[in-house]
Amino acid sequence: MSILQKRGALIVLEGCDRAGKTTQCKKLVELLKSEGHKAKFMNFPDRTTQCGALINSYLTNKDNFTDEGIHLLFTLNRWEAKKQMEQLLNSGTSLIVDRYSYSGVAFSSAKGLDMEWCRAPEKGLLRPDLVILLTLTPEAMSKRGGFGDERYEVPELQKRVMEKFLQLKDDKYWKVVDADKTPEDLSYDLYKSVIDTVHKSALSKLSTLW
Ligand code: NYM
Ligand code: MG
């Protein structure tokens, strides 16, 4: 990174399925771009890589892995993106990321794996500048219509996942936001924290988990 090059911010949206993460990430990228910032949408799992194709076949019940095996595939899917993420951030592009290591640890530990074991292989990945956790009460969630038919899309597991997210929460760089509002109102709320983080991160060094 040259002395004059400001880096982009790494911003992650987390939450249960149906909370609106993907919609919000895309809206935030558009808002940043409309104000002249460089920004890019990313999501995990990235199903377009070879490893992502294995994850996709697991999630859609076409293939099976042990809980440990699929956990490590999700982690590998982030490791294979690390260099590209670093390059983009250092060249001034902010990344708005739909799920990251926290989903990895929350889902696997909600299934019963030891949380410390789940965290270990994430060590050394880029640490986000901001994690926004979108929450929905069970009632608000059921109003949004049914889950899809992928693995994990059942209310009982989603509830345990939310408990795990709250255990992972680090108040220094997390923000918890109730997602039970219109997409427009929600992105208006989120944008204030996002733009603040973009400004604050510009001259700071990237750090790593945990
Ligand atoms: N998921 C996602 C994990 O179990 N571990 C991970 O590391 C990540 C990134 O994949 N139910 C789960 C959470 C979701 C599922 O994600 C697919 P999406 O955002 O619905 O494509
Ligand atoms: Mg989903």
Side-chain angles (χ1 to χ4, degrees):
M1 182 161 67
S2 80
I3 292 172
L4 293 175
Q5 174 69 65
K6 291 181 177 171
R7 77 161 170 93
L10 176 55
I11 296 170
V12 169
L13 267 69
E14 285 286 10
C16 289
D17 290 291
R18 317 262 330 129
K21 294 179 300 303
T22 312
T23 306
Q24 288 304 317
C25 284
K26 290 182 173 169
K27 276 183 179 288
L28 290 168
V29 168
E30 289 319 310
L31 283 168
L32 283 170
K33 284 184 172 170
S34 72
E35 295 203 346
H37 298 276
K38 288 195 279 181
K40 185 176 164 26
F41 168 79
M42 290 185 81
N43 65 306
F44 293 105
D46 173 1
R47 304 187 196 212
T48 66
T49 69
Q50 277 183 311
C51 168
L54 290 173
I55 293 172
N56 184 56
S57 66
Y58 174 83
L59 288 170
T60 54
N61 287 299
K62 293 187 188 74
D63 216 339
N64 207 5
F65 296 99
T66 61
D67 289 344
E68 290 85 355
I70 190 65
H71 179 77
L72 294 172
L73 281 178
F74 275 114
T75 304
L76 172 59
N77 191 234
R78 285 182 277 282
W79 276 103
E80 59 189 5
K82 181 183 172 184
K83 188 168 272 166
Q84 189 209 0
M85 292 172 75
E86 215 163 15
Q87 281 165 353
L88 284 164
L89 290 165
N90 284 333
S91 70
T93 300
S94 288
L95 302 179
I96 310 295
V97 186
D98 182 2
R99 295 192 189 279
Y100 197 57
S101 303
Y102 314 97
S103 275
V105 177
F107 277 82
S108 293
S109 62
K111 283 159 69 182
L113 294 184
D114 175 72
M115 198 179 237
E116 286 311 309
W117 184 90
C118 293
R119 286 168 70 112
E122 307 289 328
K123 183 176 155 73
L125 288 172
L126 299 176
R127 201 196 87 164
D129 297 294
L130 173 67
V131 178
I132 297 173
L133 177 64
L134 294 183
T135 61
L136 276 182
T137 60
E139 299 75 56
M141 207 184 266
S142 64
K143 268 193 277 163
R144 294 197 172 194
F147 288 117
D149 45 17
E150 289 202 338
R151 268 190 226 246
Y152 306 159
E153 295 188 338
V154 286
E156 204 27 61
L157 181 72
Q158 299 284 327
K159 189 170 157 270
R160 288 208 300 281
V161 168
M162 185 48 69
E163 288 162 11
K164 299 293 181 185
F165 275 132
L166 293 170
Q167 281 177 39
L168 288 168
K169 179 163 80 80
D170 178 334
D171 291 331
K172 286 201 286 293
Y173 64 107
W174 281 55
K175 194 178 158 62
V176 180
V177 178
D178 180 4
D180 189 18
K181 34 183 93 98
T182 67
E184 290 70 30
D185 287 349
L186 185 54
S187 46
Y188 180 80
D189 282 2
L190 301 186
Y191 192 65
K192 282 182 265 178
S193 316
V194 165
I195 197 71
D196 232 37
T197 303
V198 167
H199 290 142
K200 269 204 322 240
S201 312
L203 295 173
S204 71
K205 271 183 64 175
L206 275 170
S207 59
T208 53
L209 292 175
W210 282 95

